Amino acid sequence: MIVEQLYTGCLAQGAYYIESAGEVAIIDPLRETTPYVRKAESAGATIKYIFETHFHADFVSGHLDLAKQTGAPIVYGPNANTAFDAYHAADGETFALGNVTIKVLHTPGHTPESTTYLLLDETGRPHAIFTGDTLFIGDVGRPDLAIKGNLTEHDLAGMLYDSLHSKLIPLPDDVIVYPAHGAGSACGKNMSRETTDRLGNQKRFNYALRATSKESFIEQVLDGLTKAPAYFAQNARLNKEGYESIDQVMQRGSQALSPDAFEAAVNETGALILDVRTAIEFTRGFIPNAINIGLDGQFAPWVGALIPDLTQPIALVTPAGQEEETVRRLARVGYDQCIGYLAGGFDAWREAGREVDAIESISADEFAQRLTQNPALSVVDVRKPGEFAAEHVANAENRPLDTLNDHMAAFSHDEPIYVHCAGGYRSMVANSILKARGFDNVVNVEGGIGAIRKTSVPVVADQSVAH
């Protein structure tokens, strides 16, 4: 028996490859299916099943393309009504895979259809659970993403408590927990950076499994939940109803466009110009109105949080050699309408004599000097409320990046706006958005709060804004 976690850091997502006696099961595959097919082929094995733990909201699964390529059935647990052919398993149903067995444990709570898959070894003993978003390392799935009709987040939290206590907690302590996500995912609030653990450790240390009552569990799980990213509902719909083939998406998005063709295509389609270079590269020069979301950070989740329409045409400016990677990473979260990329990157644009824009970027020391000269400077911190509460520049305003589009009226066009985050990634994203919205007075503070705290700038804490 082989169990392999295929972890994708930018999505904090774990897919799983299980192989036994020449037969393979894939659990929660990403949209690009080639790695799973090649892995099975290299082992001389056949993909027999594609298991889905639920309708994922934070990424588009590869279940449809993988089923078309391999002929393997897509398996969901109870309550998963799909617009495509799938096998809807009963609670407790088993599937033979070589010399091992996979058992369906319906564990509603994160969503009504959420299902955990229990792997029984060759002797029939519980070996591992693939929990999807039901149980994470250090946390459980948020119960506010599938509210429909009369079903409330309180109801789903109660269902989650029952699922954990009736299906998972009774399992042996040495069972391995394989969740769908780790730290960095918006599907939970307290996930560990570890991506697997023994169930016994989770029983001892996971706050949600240690709750003394159902009421206490519900209160703890619902406390401090932030607003779900706007793209979550759209991704869940795609996973439930279907989507365009990844091959078609890649072919359309991987068209190399000369500066002339790039400009014409943007004007014709109304495409958003997405520049995925690093913040340092972007600040030195960029195409006017381009938005910077760097590939070197939490790229796909930030795209999902800041570009509300999945059907928005997108024209790409990328580092050389990363064009197809960018199209692929956008497709993972449902952004399928890339119309192509700028051949030769930003250098080709500049060499063609096209208009170029830039953002003023200063060191933390320079920021400290300016703040000393004028303590009334407008300082905007785009980190999360909890980060801001822990420490922030005195008199700074907190405008979290994921809510920036909702607060444009709060910014002045007259005075300089000094923008920072933790290290520089989010502040450049924010600055690019503000610049594209006509705020020519933005100033980026390099190094963020990490660099600022090393200067004379007063940094304070305010726990009252933590939530």
Side-chain angles (χ1 to χ4, degrees):
M1 176 175 59
I2 297 172
V3 178
E4 185 172 350
Q5 181 185 68
L6 305 174
Y7 200 77
T8 303
C10 73
L11 288 174
Q13 190 269 345
Y16 295 93
Y17 174 98
I18 307 167
E19 180 189 329
S20 176
E23 295 182 341
V24 172
I26 306 294
I27 298 179
D28 293 340
L30 280 185
R31 194 162 179 186
E32 61 270 28
T33 58
T34 301
Y36 313 114
V37 174
R38 286 180 177 173
K39 185 175 288 291
E41 287 177 347
S42 66
T46 301
I47 296 178
K48 187 178 182 181
Y49 302 112
I50 303 160
F51 290 102
E52 288 285 316
T53 56
H54 65 295
F55 296 129
H56 305 282
D58 59 315
F59 71 98
V60 178
S61 177
H63 54 310
L64 291 176
D65 281 345
L66 189 57
K68 289 176 182 177
Q69 292 178 46
T70 64
I74 302 167
V75 180
Y76 282 92
N79 299 339
N81 299 315
T82 60
F84 48 83
D85 289 336
Y87 183 84
H88 302 283
D91 186 26
E93 188 170 351
T94 59
F95 295 82
L97 185 77
N99 299 322
V100 301
T101 302
I102 295 176
K103 184 176 182 180
V104 174
L105 304 179
H106 185 212
T107 49
H110 172 64
T111 63
E113 79 282 353
S114 285
T115 295
T116 293
Y117 296 103
L118 171 63
L119 176 62
L120 305 171
D121 67 15
E122 293 86 344
T123 68
R125 191 176 189 283
H127 175 76
I129 45 176
F130 302 86
T131 55
D133 288 16
T134 294
L135 175 64
F136 298 126
I137 308 306
D139 202 359
V140 290
R142 54 191 298 171
D144 63 327
L145 301 182
I147 299 171
K148 293 180 180 178
N150 296 323
L151 195 64
T152 68
E153 60 185 29
H154 189 279
D155 296 330
L156 282 165
M159 293 166 63
L160 182 55
Y161 177 88
D162 292 338
S163 294
L164 293 168
H165 282 263
S166 64
K167 300 289 181 66
L168 302 189
I169 289 178
L171 293 171
D173 284 359
D174 62 350
V175 166
I176 304 170
V177 179
Y178 289 115
H181 295 291
S185 169
C187 293
K189 62 181 180 180
N190 193 46
M191 283 180 270
S192 168
R193 293 192 177 278
E194 300 299 321
T195 61
T196 185
D197 194 12
R198 297 286 178 176
L199 182 58
N201 287 332
Q202 290 305 296
K203 293 178 187 179
R204 287 189 289 274
F205 301 117
N206 188 320
Y207 79 94
L209 300 190
R210 297 175 60 209
T212 55
S213 68
K214 190 172 187 176
E215 292 71 22
S216 174
F217 172 89
I218 293 172
E219 180 180 355
Q220 291 181 64
V221 168
L222 295 182
D223 180 54
L225 287 178
T226 57
K227 183 180 178 181
Y231 75 105
F232 269 28
Q234 298 177 77
N235 273 200
R237 177 182 56 78
L238 289 173
N239 284 319
K240 183 176 182 177
E241 298 179 2
Y243 48 78
E244 189 176 12
S245 165
I246 186 67
D247 292 337
Q248 293 175 298
V249 174
M250 293 300 300
Q251 182 178 9
R252 179 172 56 246
S254 299
Q255 299 180 81
L257 304 172
S258 68
D260 285 346
F262 185 88
E263 183 175 43
V266 169
N267 291 335
E268 179 181 345
T269 63
L272 179 149
I273 302 173
L274 181 61
D275 190 322
V276 303
R277 295 175 298 155
T278 66
I280 293 175
E281 291 172 314
F282 184 83
T283 193
R284 293 171 182 160
F286 53 89
I287 298 173
N289 296 321
I291 303 301
N292 175 235
I293 305 179
L295 282 176
D296 58 330
Q298 292 288 319
F299 174 70
W302 280 121
V303 168
L306 297 169
I307 304 176
D309 183 5
L310 265 63
T311 66
Q312 167 70 54
I314 295 174
L316 296 173
V317 180
T318 77
Q322 293 187 287
E323 298 86 1
E324 289 191 6
E325 177 191 353
T326 305
V327 177
R328 186 177 299 110
R329 288 173 67 173
L330 286 169
R332 287 175 181 169
V333 286
Y335 291 84
D336 291 354
Q337 301 306 315
C338 280
I339 62 172
Y341 64 88
L342 180 60
F346 178 71
D347 288 343
W349 180 269
R350 183 164 45 196
E351 290 166 5
R354 301 284 176 167
E355 183 182 355
V356 171
D357 208 342
I359 289 173
E360 182 182 4
S361 189
I362 63 173
S363 68
D365 288 331
E366 174 65 19
F367 171 64
Q369 292 176 21
R370 295 188 188 186
L371 194 61
T372 299
Q373 295 167 2
N374 181 8
L377 288 183
S378 175
V379 181
V380 175
D381 185 330
V382 297
R383 295 176 300 150
K384 295 177 182 179
E387 295 174 276
F388 183 83
E391 58 173 356
H392 61 267
V393 174
N395 300 319
E397 292 182 273
N398 185 213
R399 303 292 181 192
L401 178 57
D402 58 351
T403 66
L404 192 69
N405 287 319
D406 300 327
H407 298 287
M408 288 295 157
F411 297 100
S412 169
H413 283 277
D414 301 321
E415 300 297 327
I417 305 169
Y418 292 82
V419 183
H420 79 85
C421 59
Y425 181 90
R426 285 174 286 179
S427 66
M428 190 54 68
V429 177
N431 280 318
S432 71
I433 293 172
L434 289 168
K435 189 80 170 179
R437 295 289 189 91
F439 293 90
D440 294 322
N441 51 331
V442 292
V443 181
N444 185 63
V445 181
E446 299 168 359
I449 197 70
I452 291 171
R453 78 164 70 94
K454 299 175 183 178
T455 71
S456 60
V457 173
V459 175
V460 299
D462 182 5
Q463 296 299 329
S464 66
V465 298
H467 301 297

